[in-house]
Amino acid sequence: MMPDRHEANAVAGAALALCCLLLAAADARSQSAAGACKVNTPQGVKPDAASGQTTAVRIAVVGPGGKPVERKRFYLLERSAKETAFAGMPPAPRREEFLQGASAELRSWLARHDCDTLYCPEYEADYASAVKTVPEFRKAYEDGLRKYKSERLALEWLTVNFPLKNVRTEFYTRRKTWLEEAARRAGRVSSVMTDEKGVAFFTGIRPGAYYVSNLAPLEGGLVWDCAVTALPPIPKQLHSVTVEMSAPK
Amino acid sequence: MKRRTKTLATLLLLTAASAFTLQHQAPEAAAVAQRRTQTRQRRRAPQRTAAPRVDYTKFSHRTAEHRRGSCSSCHESPTANWARAREGASAFPDVTDYPGHSSCLGCHRQQFFSGARPAICTVCHTVVSPRNGNRFPFQNPDEPYALSPKMQRRPDPDFTNEFPHDRHQDVMARATPPRGDPEGAALFVRASFARQQKPAARPVDSCSICHATYQPLGDSKDGYALKPPGELPTNELRIEAYWLKKGTLKSTPTSHASCFNCHWQDGGERPLASDCAGCHKLKPPPARPAPSPTPSDTDAAHPSVKAVADPEVLALFRQRRVARYRHEVSAHEGVGCTACHVAITSSGGLNANTMYVPIQTCSSSKCHGSPRSPNNIILREMEQRKKPDGAGYECAMCHVVYGRLPTPKSHSGLFPSAAK
């Protein structure tokens, strides 16, 4: 009897551990940290949607460590993303889900390079070394050399012959589709991309109430959903309101 | 005898009368006949002129028959001459030659063999002769084509280029959030007794990946794009008379080189290089004369503008609303492109509106925003105009053509407190 009970306990324990693991994984998948929002509204200016004048909202985004969130797309929405876009939608695609078939060297190389696709121009400087160390790049280079009979072209056109299409653009394509659907649900007004200082402007918008969100969480799970009231234009300034977005403390 | 004489006289009179009558009636009859002919001709004439006269010296992609097939039914990609079309290291597989005769002969056999010098040959050939095969440069690469007489003859291309800026920016998006320096991580600092080269400035945004400074300042001391004829006069605020300076303009990629490295047809991203219509969109035919464009701030006839040899750069320069703005000034470079071209990242296509820089991007800056700042040239020039003798003052720091116009409300409302 004892061995049986032990066996049953062991099975139950393993099942419990598996459940815990699955729950933790599911939780990690759905978990996203809410970004902090601070709206700087000038004193004494009241919204006047009837004026017909358009205005602008400036956003300044910093991530963990106080560094600017560069080259990320943010959306101006009519409704809260949390209440509309995320309800009933599958989680946003994550890059690690699109690395099937990738070698360990490629995974390591991508982790060191900070881009949504293989097309960040900063990558090009590293192609020459990548073809020596990463099997996928080496294959792409050899294919290119065979086709174009030119080492220069084989290197410059490396992505054309890159063997794993899922790694190359599938993540970008799927996430773009997801973002468009999420933005549609939340009433997309406009979208902008931050510069290297983490700054961008929503211009040509009517004064009124909006939300600003990145919709798809950053890799660490950080997502903003900031309410903002766009005020009428201030003559000297391009924008009437600034939304400062940061990581939670 | 008398009777015979009378009869003869009567006959003569009758003959003379009938001859006279005929003589006078003939022109009328001829005229009637001519009128009939003319009427017939006039009736036929509209049929003759109704048929459109085709000018076979000009090829148009807009012709219904030419639009019927796909681009690849005429154009090969790549063409056999791609390696010779560009020099050495700049060569890449590309469409750099005209389609062959076979793509025309199916419909135009008659025009190919009409007369000693068929008009249709002049679409491609410089001289119509069986002994001379010389042709005008093909439209790609565009540098030799821009200088050719064919370009002078037909400067307006059939196509516009569609480049979705926002999509390309998204492709270059950062993947991970910025991280602070990991705690306790070792920091390696390069140490050397030799003088270190100044590290290249990090671009503020991704625009500089494709858009370079046209004619950068380099080692030039005065910075003029062309040598001015002499010392340039200055105005009341010691602003030098206009003469185009280096570092003013930006270039735009115009060659397939910046497209095909990702969109090449044997494995690249869509639209593929072989799908010309993926990017090149046929312009609608001009229904009526184009309205005269809004006058820009650029004086295209200014002698210093001759320094701009690139037709694409010149075309963008001609649209400018602030002709004297220089991109290559350290304070401007540090700001970043999208801090002024604020609408670009939100838009798929580029046009004069999305390229537009609102003046508030200057007037809210630290340099040109404070009423007390000596660099607030917007305010100083407006104040100069308010002086008793300043009515004729032309704003010259930013503008060339617009500087002669009255101060617009967009400017005069910027510094209300200073104006009081």
Side-chain angles (χ1 to χ4, degrees):
Chain A
M1 285 298 283
M2 287 298 280
D4 283 354
R5 189 181 291 168
H6 275 281
E7 202 173 303
N9 282 345
V11 170
L16 188 68
L18 187 65
C19 279
C20 287
L21 269 173
L22 285 171
L23 278 172
D27 187 44
R29 204 175 145 79
S30 62
Q31 200 176 48
S32 55
C37 312
K38 185 185 169 194
V39 180
N40 291 328
T41 308
Q43 298 290 314
V45 185
K46 290 181 179 175
D48 178 15
S51 71
Q53 283 182 300
T54 57
T55 186
V57 171
R58 176 179 181 265
I59 60 168
V61 194
V62 290
K67 289 201 169 182
V69 173
E70 311 164 356
R71 276 152 64 173
K72 279 286 178 194
R73 191 156 285 278
F74 281 78
Y75 294 82
L76 190 72
L77 306 162
E78 288 172 354
R79 299 179 286 278
S80 162
K82 272 183 193 161
E83 290 166 16
T84 54
F86 304 145
M89 274 193 75
R94 295 186 302 166
R95 190 161 73 166
E96 52 266 36
E97 295 161 7
F98 296 87
L99 296 178
Q100 296 93 336
S103 67
E105 293 89 339
L106 179 61
R107 286 168 190 263
S108 161
W109 194 88
L110 286 170
R112 287 200 308 274
H113 291 76
D114 176 22
C115 187
D116 267 3
T117 68
L118 285 186
Y119 293 110
C120 276
E122 295 98 323
Y123 280 19
E124 288 171 15
D126 290 348
Y127 281 169
S129 61
V131 297
K132 292 173 188 160
T133 55
V134 180
E136 287 86 347
F137 282 124
R138 192 183 311 134
K139 183 176 184 319
Y141 177 75
E142 285 164 0
D143 282 357
L145 201 55
R146 200 178 61 251
K147 286 181 197 172
Y148 317 128
K149 314 275 187 283
S150 157
E151 290 179 10
R152 174 184 59 85
L153 277 175
L155 209 55
E156 283 179 8
W157 292 20
L158 197 65
T159 55
V160 169
N161 298 298
F162 192 80
L164 298 177
K165 304 293 184 248
N166 56 323
V167 174
R168 195 172 71 179
T169 40
E170 187 67 13
F171 167 56
Y172 161 78
T173 311
R174 290 282 199 83
R175 205 172 69 145
K176 181 93 180 156
T177 309
W178 187 93
L179 278 168
E180 278 170 10
E181 175 58 17
R184 190 192 62 77
R185 288 181 183 212
R188 176 190 168 138
V189 177
S190 177
S191 80
V192 289
M193 181 167 266
T194 54
D195 63 13
E196 299 322 56
K197 293 174 182 173
V199 173
F201 294 86
F202 294 105
T203 57
I205 56 171
R206 290 188 173 282
Y210 298 99
Y211 285 83
V212 178
S213 176
N214 54 330
L215 294 174
L218 303 185
E219 290 287 306
L222 197 56
V223 64
W224 284 274
D225 189 32
C226 306
V228 57
T229 301
L231 300 171
I234 300 167
K236 190 181 156 185
Q237 283 193 183
L238 175 67
H239 58 281
S240 60
V241 182
T242 296
V243 186
E244 290 179 4
M245 301 151 89
S246 57
K249 287 176 182 171
Chain B
M1 186 67 192
K2 273 185 183 176
R3 199 174 169 183
R4 273 181 72 182
T5 311
K6 272 183 186 174
T7 310
L8 193 66
T10 308
L11 277 170
L12 276 169
L13 273 170
L14 279 170
T15 311
S18 59
F20 178 82
T21 312
L22 276 172
Q23 203 176 8
H24 280 83
Q25 276 182 346
E28 274 182 35
V32 168
Q34 199 178 4
R35 272 202 294 275
R36 277 186 199 141
T37 315
Q38 278 177 345
T39 313
R40 277 201 294 273
Q41 279 172 347
R42 269 205 293 272
R43 276 180 198 148
R44 262 186 254 125
Q47 288 176 343
R48 257 185 245 157
T49 51
R53 189 179 168 81
V54 180
D55 182 0
Y56 287 106
T57 63
K58 293 188 177 92
F59 175 86
S60 173
H61 288 93
R62 292 195 193 100
T63 309
E65 288 77 7
H66 294 160
R67 285 160 57 189
R68 212 167 276 159
S70 65
C71 309
S72 59
S73 62
C74 295
H75 290 283
E76 278 179 38
S77 176
T79 47
N81 72 336
W82 69 262
R84 300 188 303 275
R86 291 185 176 88
E87 283 179 12
S90 60
F92 62 92
D94 195 4
V95 183
T96 50
D97 204 358
Y98 293 96
H101 284 143
S102 58
S103 57
C104 315
L105 271 170
C107 299
H108 293 292
R109 183 170 292 276
Q110 191 189 345
Q111 286 78 38
F112 265 69
F113 299 102
S114 69
R117 297 181 191 284
I120 199 168
C121 302
T122 62
V123 170
C124 306
H125 291 276
T126 54
V127 179
V128 181
S129 164
R131 293 197 192 95
N132 189 334
N134 287 351
R135 289 172 298 168
F136 296 107
F138 185 61
Q139 254 171 293
N140 182 37
D142 64 352
E143 293 89 351
Y145 178 75
L147 302 171
S148 79
K150 192 175 175 184
M151 166 69 181
Q152 312 302 325
R153 211 167 67 192
R154 288 198 71 193
D156 188 28
D158 289 348
F159 296 96
T160 56
N161 297 335
E162 189 175 272
F163 179 83
H165 253 91
D166 56 347
R167 197 173 301 171
H168 285 84
Q169 283 165 338
D170 282 353
V171 165
M172 298 173 197
R174 300 279 188 204
T176 53
R179 295 187 183 92
D181 292 326
E183 272 184 53
L187 182 68
F188 288 93
V189 178
R190 188 171 176 177
S192 165
F193 288 112
R195 187 184 287 270
Q196 295 291 308
Q197 276 193 327
K198 193 181 164 189
R202 189 169 177 247
V204 181
D205 42 45
S206 55
C207 310
S208 56
I209 292 161
C210 298
H211 301 282
T213 301
Y214 179 72
Q215 296 176 335
L217 189 61
D219 296 331
S220 171
K221 283 178 186 167
D222 54 19
Y224 297 119
L226 279 180
K227 196 180 175 191
E231 196 174 330
L232 297 169
T234 56
N235 70 4
E236 295 89 324
L237 295 179
R238 295 184 183 176
I239 300 168
E240 203 174 58
Y242 177 65
W243 196 265
L244 180 66
K245 287 201 166 184
K246 289 181 176 176
T248 300
L249 305 165
K250 288 279 178 181
S251 66
T252 300
T254 52
S255 127
H256 287 147
S258 51
C259 313
F260 287 1
N261 57 339
C262 300
H263 292 280
W264 188 241
Q265 57 219 37
D266 61 359
E269 298 292 343
R270 288 176 189 280
L272 298 175
S274 50
D275 174 20
C276 312
C279 300
H280 301 289
K281 306 293 179 191
L282 199 58
K283 284 195 280 192
R288 49 178 173 259
S292 56
T294 314
S296 83
D297 191 35
T298 306
D299 177 6
H302 194 275
S304 65
V305 175
K306 283 180 186 163
V308 187
D310 187 319
E312 301 283 338
V313 175
L314 185 61
L316 286 172
F317 185 34
R318 289 177 119 155
Q319 292 175 24
R320 268 206 182 189
R321 298 184 225 195
V322 184
R324 291 186 77 158
Y325 176 85
R326 289 175 75 191
H327 283 100
E328 199 189 29
V329 173
S330 59
H332 291 165
E333 283 185 310
V335 170
C337 310
T338 52
C340 300
H341 295 282
V342 287
I344 278 184
T345 63
S346 63
S347 173
L350 278 196
N351 54 47
N353 288 332
T354 51
M355 289 280 286
Y356 175 59
V357 176
I359 191 171
Q360 287 89 344
T361 58
C362 316
S363 66
S364 61
S365 71
K366 285 176 190 165
C367 299
H368 308 299
S370 166
R372 290 177 191 169
S373 166
N375 283 335
N376 192 340
I377 194 66
I378 311 166
L379 181 60
R380 286 176 62 205
E381 291 205 293
M382 285 194 294
E383 284 179 340
Q384 184 65 29
R385 284 185 156 190
K386 288 177 189 164
K387 288 182 179 173
D389 58 344
Y393 179 81
E394 293 181 4
C395 293
M397 191 67 192
C398 311
H399 296 296
V400 176
V401 175
Y402 291 174
R404 299 164 203 150
L405 305 176
T407 307
K409 203 180 166 188
S410 61
H411 290 46
S412 58
L414 289 172
F415 304 101
S417 56
K420 283 173 190 170

